[in-house]
């Protein structure tokens, strides 16, 4: 009986490891009310699904500020709580606002790169039932593409970890 039990446990562990995906749900609460519910997070473990030909055209660098201010970089894209620079190759570094103004990159480029990074296991993604917002969680920062029912369709780059609930609070204080 114990041997069969151990074999069953080993088989389950092998099955979980070979799928390489952890699926879980979380809830975010603001002021005691359920504000947004995560649909699911698909996180490739140990970057097993990384495409060897995945080359980033640019690197986003985020540095935390002391304040949690929201600053507009261009129409529809903001930084939240930090400064953002874009590195193209090793010696070409731009402030996000300048990179967007000079058409070095676009908001679509940033979102396309985040989608590729998610597919290649470089970042995690959370989708919300608030109209379709999605957060791309990197080790040092988060990209939030809002698609809220209240018509907020902006992109925010902020500190690491989920920023949706803190952003909602900051936006309420601004209004």
């Amino acid at each position: 009986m114990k041997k069969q039990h151990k074999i069953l446990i080993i088989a389950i562990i092998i099955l979980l490891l070979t799928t390489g995906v952890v699926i879980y749900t979380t809830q975010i609460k603001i002021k005691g009310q359920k504000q947004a519910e995560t649909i699911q997070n698909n996180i490739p473990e140990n970057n097993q699904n990384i495409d060897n030909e995945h080359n980033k055209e640019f690197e986003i660098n985020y540095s935390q500020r002391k304040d949690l201010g929201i600053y507009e970089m261009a129409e529809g894209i903001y930084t939240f709580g930090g400064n953002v620079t874009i590195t193209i190759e090793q010696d070409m570094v731009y402030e996000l606002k300048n990179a967007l103004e000079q058409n070095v990159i676009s908001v679509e480029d940033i979102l396309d790169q985040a989608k590729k990074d998610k597919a290649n296991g470089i970042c995690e993604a959370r989708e919300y039932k608030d109209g379709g917002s999605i957060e791309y969680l990197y080790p040092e920062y988060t990209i939030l593409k809002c698609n809220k029912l209240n018509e907020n369709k902006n992109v925010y780059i902020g500190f690491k970890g989920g920023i949706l609930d803190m952003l909602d609070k900051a936006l309420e204080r601004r209004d």
Side-chain angles (χ1 to χ4, degrees), residues 6-43:
K6 286 181 182 179
I7 292 172
L8 180 60
I9 290 173
I10 291 170
I12 291 171
I13 291 171
I14 291 171
L15 178 66
L16 290 173
L17 291 174
T18 57
T19 61
V21 176
V22 176
I23 298 175
Y24 62 92
T25 61
T26 57
Q27 292 183 351
I28 295 176
K29 296 189 177 200
I30 299 174
K31 297 179 184 174
Q33 297 178 344
K34 191 186 331 177
Q35 187 71 17
E37 184 179 321
T38 303
I39 298 171
Q40 69 181 15
N41 292 333
N42 294 323
I43 307 162

Side-chain angles (χ1 to χ4, degrees), residues 81-119:
N83 298 315
V84 177
T85 58
I86 302 296
T87 303
I88 300 173
E89 300 178 9
Q90 292 180 345
D91 57 348
M92 298 173 65
V93 179
Y94 299 85
E95 291 292 325
L96 177 60
K97 185 172 188 161
N98 294 335
L100 293 165
E101 287 173 352
Q102 296 172 23
N103 294 319
V104 173
I105 63 166
S106 67
V107 175
E108 292 78 24
D109 293 335
I110 293 170
L111 293 174
D112 289 344
Q113 187 67 55
K115 290 174 191 174
K116 289 177 189 175
D117 289 349
K118 176 189 176 261

Side-chain angles (χ1 to χ4, degrees), residues 51-77:
D51 179 0
N52 291 332
E53 296 181 20
H54 177 69
N55 295 320
K56 286 188 161 192
E57 295 179 20
F58 58 88
E59 185 75 34
I60 294 176
N61 305 297
Y62 178 85
S63 60
Q64 183 74 40
R65 286 191 310 262
K66 290 183 180 181
D67 69 282
L68 289 179
I70 300 168
Y71 298 95
E72 185 172 21
M73 297 293 108
E75 185 176 339
I77 186 164

